[in-house]
Every structure is written in structure tokens, then in C-alpha cells.
Amino acid sequence: FLSSRSQQESAVHTAGFLQGLKAFGYIDGQTVRIDSRWANGDYERLPAFARELVALQPALIATGGGMPPVRAAKAATSSIPIVFVGGNPVAEGVVTSLARPSENITGFSIMSDELGGKRLWIGTGTDIHDRKLTEAQLASAERMLRALAIASAQIFWSADGSGQLDSYRRLTSLS
């Protein structure tokens, strides 16, 4: 795990992540090993941390704290899968599109420009036809995200603001 933040800043998310892993039998130090590097806001440390993680030959590198850790991991490896959450990877040039990210990078963005306007419109609109169309587009985007997550053949999880796991799923096939 590679993060631009501190371990303390990320405690809530880390707890949710570990809870999700545990639900599927992955317990850090017992059935899986999680090596973490925390930059504590010092972005210049990220490239060296990414190289350290790549040298450990992990199954994947998960990132947190925006796109800087993703860029550092991308520069360090072209073969180990990199999984990101959040940020705007298209606008920041990390991937070419959300539908088909690129290379060894996958993940999802909850704040993308492509969906931001649609969220605002749903909140303020009254035309039911356009609302249904927007909901269908959002459902389509969710299906694409699930396909990306399934393609990574890993675990998908999310936690609420208090760190409680609100969704997890072990992804093991392309079906």
C-alpha cells in the first residue's frame, strides 16, 4: 500500500480495508502480508517508496491519497497491477479513460468531471425523463466500474466515514 498521507490520517480507511480483507479470510500477518509506505505529505518520498514496494514483488499495489502515489507506482512498474480509489485520474493524465483505464492501472473515481455534473443535475432537476436517462448513464458507469474491478481479480471494498465496512466482495472471475 502506497499513500501520500500519514497512517493516522488514513486510520479510518485502513480499518475498513482490513475489515473487508478479514471478511474473506485475509488477515494481515497471517494469511496475507500488507507492506505499507506512508509519505506523511512529503510527496518527494513517493518514488522511492514505490520502488521499495516493487522490489518486494507484491501481487498488487493499492494506493491512497490522490493521484501522486499512483503516478509514483506507475513510474516504478509496468507489470504489477496498481489499484487507485478517488481523485480524477483522467484529468491528471494517469489513465486515458475511466471506461478503459490503461496498462496496469485500474480503480475508480467518485469525483470525476464526467459524473459531477450529472450528480448536481439529479439533485436540482425536475424533468423525470432526463433524470431517468441520467440514472441509466450512472448505472452503465457502475457496470463498467464493476467490470474493471472484476478484471483485477482482487477484492473490492468500501468503508463509510466512521471506518465501518459498507461493501465488500471477493472478485475471482471475469463472469
Side-chain angles (χ1 to χ4, degrees):
F1 182 77
L2 178 62
S3 179
S4 62
R5 297 184 178 131
S6 70
Q7 190 169 5
Q8 295 75 20
E9 266 183 290
S10 302
V12 168
H13 297 106
T14 302
F17 175 68
L18 293 174
Q19 184 179 356
L21 288 175
K22 186 176 181 181
F24 289 102
Y26 297 105
I27 300 169
D28 188 22
Q30 293 180 18
T31 57
V32 67
R33 187 176 94 196
I34 301 171
D35 293 297
S36 301
R37 300 296 186 271
W38 304 94
N40 297 314
D42 185 352
Y43 291 67
E44 292 179 9
R45 298 171 74 188
L46 290 169
F49 284 162
R51 289 189 299 272
E52 286 177 19
L53 289 173
V54 168
L56 297 172
Q57 300 179 339
L60 68 88
I61 298 174
T63 65
M67 291 296 106
V70 180
R71 282 194 294 273
K74 181 179 180 179
T77 182
S78 61
S79 59
I80 299 170
I82 301 166
V83 181
F84 67 86
V85 176
N88 192 333
V90 176
E92 296 192 39
V94 174
V95 298
T96 55
S97 80
L98 292 177
R100 301 188 192 293
S102 63
E103 303 158 6
N104 59 323
I105 302 173
T106 191
F108 69 97
S109 172
I110 58 174
M111 298 301 291
S112 75
D113 292 338
E114 297 150 22
L115 298 178
K118 294 174 183 173
R119 280 193 208 103
L120 177 62
W121 199 92
I122 289 172
T124 60
T126 57
D127 182 335
I128 191 72
H129 172 75
D130 289 342
R131 178 177 174 190
K132 290 293 184 184
L133 178 62
T134 301
E135 287 173 354
Q137 290 171 332
L138 288 172
S140 175
E142 182 180 346
R143 284 191 300 277
M144 286 189 283
L145 169 63
R146 288 182 190 276
L148 288 172
I150 288 169
S152 70
Q154 299 299 320
I155 294 176
F156 175 82
W157 62 271
S158 67
D160 63 20
S162 68
Q164 293 299 310
L165 182 70
D166 59 18
S167 175
Y168 61 87
R169 180 174 171 209
R170 182 184 304 190
L171 305 170
T172 56
S173 69
L174 296 177
S175 60

